Amino acid sequence: MSTVGQRERATQDRVVALLRDTLHYEYLGDWQYREGNTNIEADLLTGWLRRQGYSERLITAALRELGRAAAVGASRSLYEANRAVHSLLRYGVKVKEGAGQKTETVWLVDWGTPTNNDFAVAEEVAVAGVHGKRPDVVVYVNGLALAVLELKRSTVSVSEGIRQNLDNQKPEFIQPFFSTVQYVLAGNDAEGLRYGAIETPERYYLEWREENPEYRPGNPPEGRYLPPAPCNGPNGNVRHALDCALLRLFDRDRFLELVHDFVVFDAGTKKLPRHNQYFGVRAAQRNVSEREGGIVWHTQGS
């Protein structure tokens, strides 16, 4: 009996447990046989919006606008839909309770207080399409699919997972599912994690590198989530490179910061930051706040 599937299953179980137990994402379950899986889980989003105090009319109007923004069709590309959704995520949805009423902003994410959002993870998410697909792991924030992760066993290159993600984004598969997705990832235990945006060519997928093995988010405001040093396991052992990168990228504060502040839509191409660009910006922010100068040194083309 082959152990190939068992090895991939063990990696996936560990990754899901990491998100659930260390970063405290809610586990939504194995959605292989659940019907109607989508990138906008309306019930989850509606429940969160109600807890924020929005009226039913505002919620209905916001969901309608979000659905329009996320629509992908013959005359509307995935890039255009993804850009429109990101704009609603970042700036809120401008809607009215009714004709003649003032315009109000419905926020789909609480950017200021990450712990006020519902972070969740589902696995084996079966998505209907011309040819249905089943992403290994999907990360949801307030019911919105913001990240998709494909996992491979150590003897299969991460490139296979990247190509699988790229295939899934084609019109003949489950392209509309990616209209809300901000991070597309692939990984295994041997090579670690690679990440990109929608439609990122394989050669441009990135590796997150962070020298400090004791990484902790710096001095978060009171009430914000502060995880343990993610590169050390519960017994002090060093984690897999895959686990370490996931814990650093999907720390709740940092993940929202990356989505809110480090996404660029540039003439038909969506771009995400390299680790050095992220830390360069953070260092520049510190210097500016302390009224200090400095130089950001980078290679040509960065």
Side-chain angles (χ1 to χ4, degrees):
M1 180 178 177
S2 173
T3 60
V4 168
Q6 294 175 12
R7 289 198 296 270
E8 288 187 352
R9 183 71 249 181
T11 299
Q12 185 166 315
D13 287 345
R14 194 186 72 244
V15 165
V16 169
L18 215 72
L19 293 168
R20 182 190 64 220
D21 301 334
T22 303
L23 293 182
H24 305 291
Y25 282 51
E26 178 187 356
Y27 179 60
L28 297 175
D30 184 323
W31 283 3
Q32 181 174 354
Y33 301 108
R34 179 177 181 264
E35 295 183 358
N37 296 327
T38 180
N39 58 340
I40 302 173
E41 291 290 333
D43 290 345
L44 296 177
L45 178 56
T46 297
W48 185 81
L49 290 172
R50 284 172 179 158
R51 295 198 301 276
Q52 309 315 302
Y54 294 112
S55 70
E56 294 300 319
R57 286 187 176 184
L58 285 177
I59 292 172
T60 299
L63 287 174
R64 183 169 56 248
E65 290 301 313
L66 177 61
R68 289 173 180 167
V72 180
S75 61
R76 196 154 184 270
S77 69
L78 174 59
Y79 173 85
E80 291 169 328
N82 196 273
R83 181 176 59 181
V85 169
H86 185 267
S87 180
L88 295 184
L89 290 172
R90 198 177 195 281
Y91 302 110
V93 188
K94 315 298 182 184
V95 290
K96 297 180 180 180
E97 289 233 15
Q101 300 293 313
K102 67 177 182 178
T103 300
E104 299 187 47
T105 301
V106 174
W107 293 97
L108 304 174
V109 178
D110 186 341
W111 300 107
T113 311
T115 53
N116 187 41
N117 298 286
D118 292 342
F119 289 79
V121 57
E123 57 183 327
E124 302 297 331
V125 180
V127 181
V130 179
H131 300 286
K133 287 289 186 176
R134 196 174 69 223
D136 291 337
V137 177
V138 178
V139 168
Y140 289 86
V141 177
N142 305 332
L144 301 173
L146 298 190
V148 169
L149 169 63
E150 291 294 339
L151 295 167
K152 296 298 175 185
R153 64 187 183 277
S154 296
T155 55
V156 175
S157 172
V158 168
S159 296
E160 291 294 327
I162 294 173
R163 289 193 283 269
Q164 188 172 338
N165 276 323
L166 289 170
D167 284 344
N168 288 351
Q169 294 172 59
K170 293 178 180 178
E172 59 266 32
F173 293 107
I174 58 170
Q175 186 180 73
F177 188 83
F178 287 84
S179 64
T180 64
V181 172
Q182 305 303 310
Y183 273 71
V184 185
L185 309 101
N188 66 17
D189 285 341
E191 298 173 84
L193 187 72
R194 302 293 184 274
Y195 67 94
I198 54 153
E199 300 178 328
T200 298
E202 180 184 340
R203 66 184 179 277
Y204 293 126
Y205 265 66
L206 303 171
E207 180 181 5
W208 189 270
R209 298 179 183 177
E210 197 163 335
E211 293 182 1
N212 180 11
E214 301 294 331
Y215 161 75
R216 293 168 68 94
N219 302 317
E222 184 177 355
R224 284 211 179 178
Y225 169 66
L226 185 65
C231 283
N232 289 339
N235 299 320
N237 57 305
V238 177
R239 296 184 187 272
H240 291 277
L242 171 63
D243 298 10
C244 189
L246 285 169
L247 286 164
R248 284 169 165 173
L249 283 172
F250 287 98
D251 161 69
R252 292 185 282 182
D253 288 55
R254 180 177 281 181
F255 182 56
L256 292 191
E257 180 187 20
L258 288 169
V259 172
H260 187 272
D261 297 332
F262 291 88
V263 173
V264 174
F265 292 86
D266 181 17
T269 302
K270 184 177 182 180
K271 301 176 181 179
L272 301 179
R274 295 178 182 272
H275 60 278
N276 55 300
Q277 293 167 330
Y278 169 80
F279 289 113
V281 169
R282 292 297 303 272
Q285 289 173 326
R286 287 194 298 271
N287 277 26
V288 169
S289 66
E290 297 169 2
R291 298 181 181 275
E292 295 182 2
I295 296 174
V296 176
W297 186 276
H298 61 82
T299 58
Q300 182 177 359
S302 291

